[in-house]
Amino acid sequence: MTTGASTQATPDRGPRVAASSRVAGLLVALVVLVAVALLSIAVGSRSIPLGTVLDALFHRDGSDSSYVVWSIRVPRTLIGIAVGASLGVAGALMQALTRNPLADPGLLGINAGAATAAALSVGVLGVTDLRAFVWFAFLGAAVAGFVLYVIAGRGGASPVRLALAGTAVSAALTGLTQAMTLLDTQTLDQMRFWTVGSLERADGGTLVRVLPFLVAGLVLALFLARPLNALALGDDAGKSLGAHLGWTRALTLVAVTLLAGAATAAVGPLVFVGLAVPHMVRAITGPDQRWVVPYCALLAPALLLLADVLGRVIAREEIDVGVVTALLGAPLFIALVRHTKAGRA
């Protein structure tokens, strides 16, 4: 009897152990994010001791350190967390939607739509205020997402058609943006820093404007985790498990547009964050989107903030985070690919 009971109990213990280890990993990821956020606040052109940072955070006063922490470092760190989480989750959704491990938000033309609208606002309407600039960029991302949805065939869009349509939309919009910036020096001057991707010029006001869209996209991503798990088994299997293909794909496009559009509007297009982090996460959690999404929401901003800190200290002049993420992302992604090959071998 005892042997039979233990035999019956053993299969149930595995999922519980796996879930508890994933929860523990999620807590570790949260601790890593907090540590990197404190590092982001402490390190810069003027380094501030960690003890002074903690004192300034909990006892705001009129000192120079308190001013630097609250007026410059905290807003920059918060928008880095928001943008990083959004790009990481958007990348995970893209890879699940298209079943393409090389997919990222740029594949759908979302980033290109934001850049084109931003260039039009500067070159045609003469917009110079960053507050208005952000809204135009987000509108461009939303329009690009809608155009993609129409071209790809709405509810019946397959992963391949989405990827092909996204590549076409991205190429067309990128060409239009480059033409405007090359023909108009004013547009080029306004766009050249934004197109690199930087947290330096974003402030608390920028975060307030894009935060509702980012929160809505993250909530929608969590809601879509289970249907995307079903679609990962194939269209027929997904239908048999109760997933509505059309609605799932449409809502995933909406979530990606909200996340990537608002993030790109705030700080410019950033590469590799949405591409590499989901691969790192799946090596820890497996393919279950219910775990991939929250892990990406914690580890992607940690990576982005770390890249931002490196950009402040590796050269005399600050290097924009978009440049650092590209330099870090390429070898990191190559290492992930080699590790994946070795694991499969």
Side-chain angles (χ1 to χ4, degrees):
M1 295 293 291
T2 304
T3 304
S6 62
T7 304
Q8 291 175 356
T10 302
D12 295 330
R13 193 176 301 137
R16 286 200 298 270
V17 171
S20 62
S21 63
R22 287 169 176 169
V23 171
L26 207 57
L27 293 176
V28 171
L30 179 60
V31 171
V32 170
L33 176 58
V34 171
V36 175
L38 289 174
L39 184 67
S40 174
I41 297 173
V43 175
S45 57
R46 171 189 172 184
S47 294
I48 304 174
L50 184 58
T52 304
V53 169
L54 294 174
D55 185 63
L57 288 174
F58 292 104
H59 304 94
R60 190 171 183 177
D61 54 34
S63 65
D64 291 341
S65 295
S66 180
Y67 173 80
V68 170
V69 166
W70 282 103
S71 300
I72 301 174
R73 302 278 177 82
V74 167
R76 180 171 182 164
T77 300
L78 289 177
I79 200 161
I81 292 173
V83 167
S86 300
L87 292 176
V89 173
L93 293 180
M94 276 295 308
Q95 291 172 14
L97 177 66
T98 62
R99 300 174 202 156
N100 181 356
L102 297 179
D104 74 340
L107 182 67
L108 287 185
I110 304 299
N111 293 352
T116 301
L120 283 171
S121 70
V122 174
V124 178
L125 302 178
V127 173
T128 57
D129 187 351
L130 179 61
R131 291 172 294 183
F133 186 83
V134 168
W135 288 115
F136 277 102
F138 180 74
L139 178 62
V143 171
F146 176 76
V147 170
L148 171 71
Y149 183 59
V150 172
I151 293 176
R154 301 186 180 182
S158 66
V160 174
R161 292 176 67 182
L162 283 170
L164 292 175
T167 302
V169 170
S170 181
L173 292 176
T174 299
L176 179 59
T177 303
Q178 291 176 344
M180 286 187 291
T181 54
L182 289 175
L183 294 175
D184 188 340
T185 56
Q186 179 185 358
T187 304
L188 176 61
D189 289 338
Q190 291 287 332
M191 292 287 296
R192 60 180 177 174
F193 293 109
W194 181 83
T195 54
V196 172
S198 174
L199 300 180
E200 182 182 6
R201 284 166 287 278
D203 55 18
T206 303
L207 177 61
V208 170
R209 281 185 285 277
V210 301
L211 189 59
F213 302 102
L214 300 180
V215 171
L218 289 172
V219 172
L220 187 55
L222 291 171
F223 170 77
L224 290 167
R226 191 180 294 274
L228 285 173
N229 281 343
L231 260 63
L233 301 175
D235 290 357
D236 293 337
K239 286 180 180 179
S240 66
L241 291 173
H244 191 290
L245 303 185
W247 276 109
T248 300
R249 286 172 179 151
L251 290 176
T252 303
L253 284 177
V254 171
V256 171
T257 300
L258 289 170
L259 293 168
T264 303
V267 302
L270 296 175
V271 298
F272 279 112
V273 176
L275 176 62
V277 172
H279 283 271
M280 298 168 58
V281 167
R282 283 193 294 271
I284 302 170
T285 66
D288 191 341
Q289 292 295 312
R290 294 172 298 177
W291 292 102
V292 170
V293 169
Y295 266 83
C296 284
L298 294 176
L299 292 179
L303 176 64
L304 182 61
L305 289 179
L306 184 60
D308 189 43
V309 170
L310 289 175
R312 302 180 213 173
V313 300
I314 61 177
R316 290 184 179 180
E317 296 293 332
E318 181 171 329
I319 301 176
D320 287 328
V321 68
V323 176
V324 181
T325 55
L327 293 175
L328 286 177
L332 176 63
F333 195 67
I334 291 172
L336 285 171
V337 170
R338 291 178 62 86
H339 175 73
T340 302
K341 282 185 176 181
R344 288 178 179 174

